[in-house]
Amino acid sequence: MKQVDEILNEAQDKMEMAVMYLEEALAHIRAGKADVRLLDGIRVDSYGSMVPINNVASVTTPDARSIAIRPWDKNMFRVIEKAIIDSSLGIMPENNGEIIRIGIPPLTEERRRMLAKQCRAEGETAKVSIRNARRDAIDGLKKSVKEGLAEDAQKMGEEKLQKIHDKFIKKLDEILAAKDKEVMTV
């Protein structure tokens, strides 16, 4: 028989994973500002293996509208450029022979709305994960009652679980509101 605290801790861990998933997913959504995490999903061929760009070059953001990539090996210029062009980033890199610059253009109103919608979809996925964790914990509590747990302990556990659930949903809403504000700000 699992104890109430074990079930609640397991559910809380799952909910924390959902929050981390959302933060990671939102980091890859371009919001008009330069962020080195935009390049995280792009892999380049370096000596026979596919590696992230930051493994073969230094990646910095000199200002809010550009990303600078300085490859450590001069042979990597073409490879990095091709990987960026072929990616879903949708931005053309500029190469001056020493540094590759990616200018982040300002977003159109239509594109901002699309990105905000994409953020809300990611948020809903995370909320579903949190709700699933709550449902699994409630099922675990009900199963424990059948195995000898007192019904009062189950009810108290469910109340605690609901408070934990509400706390994480509120946290997701705050993260989404901040990202929405970032996306919609011109």
Side-chain angles (χ1 to χ4, degrees):
M1 172 178 81
K2 279 190 172 178
Q3 294 299 317
V4 174
D5 291 339
E6 287 178 45
I7 294 170
L8 293 180
N9 287 338
E10 202 174 291
Q12 189 164 352
D13 289 345
K14 288 180 183 175
M15 292 179 189
E16 286 171 357
M17 294 294 280
V19 170
M20 290 182 347
Y21 158 79
L22 180 65
E23 288 172 340
E24 184 66 26
L26 294 181
H28 295 289
I29 295 177
R30 182 164 65 96
K33 286 195 313 194
D35 188 351
V36 295
R37 292 183 294 184
L38 290 173
L39 303 175
D40 283 354
I42 302 174
R43 305 265 185 231
V44 294
D45 183 20
S46 174
Y47 301 106
S49 61
M50 298 302 280
V51 296
I53 289 178
N54 61 1
N55 284 13
V56 295
S58 67
V59 182
T60 58
T61 52
D63 56 58
R65 291 268 180 228
S66 65
I67 298 174
I69 304 168
R70 188 181 303 273
W72 297 315
D73 182 359
K74 296 288 184 194
N75 299 330
M76 293 305 293
F77 274 103
R78 291 270 174 247
V79 177
I80 292 173
E81 268 189 314
K82 184 169 180 354
I84 293 169
I85 291 169
D86 293 345
S87 75
S88 62
L89 199 57
I91 300 174
M92 192 67 171
E94 302 167 15
N95 177 356
N96 68 5
E98 295 207 7
I99 200 164
I100 298 171
R101 287 197 188 283
I102 301 174
I104 308 295
L107 299 172
T108 62
E109 187 66 27
E110 181 183 336
R111 182 75 175 133
R112 287 179 195 284
R113 286 199 180 101
M114 278 179 38
L115 290 174
K117 189 176 180 181
Q118 185 180 351
C119 291
R120 285 191 294 275
E122 293 289 354
E124 194 54 42
T125 302
K127 285 181 182 181
V128 167
S129 297
I130 288 177
R131 291 182 195 120
N132 288 341
R134 177 184 60 179
R135 187 193 64 228
D136 293 345
I138 289 173
D139 291 346
L141 288 169
K142 287 179 181 174
K143 187 177 179 186
S144 293
V145 167
K146 290 178 184 173
E147 295 174 357
L149 182 71
E151 285 190 27
D152 289 347
Q154 177 210 359
K155 292 291 180 200
M156 286 176 51
E158 284 185 20
E159 287 173 14
K160 284 182 185 175
L161 181 63
Q162 187 61 41
K163 287 178 183 168
I164 294 169
H165 168 270
D166 294 344
K167 178 181 84 172
F168 277 100
I169 292 292
K170 185 177 183 216
K171 190 173 187 179
L172 285 184
D173 288 337
E174 289 168 359
I175 292 169
L176 283 169
K179 186 65 176 186
D180 194 59
K181 182 179 177 188
E182 181 184 331
V183 167
M184 295 309 285
T185 302
V186 178

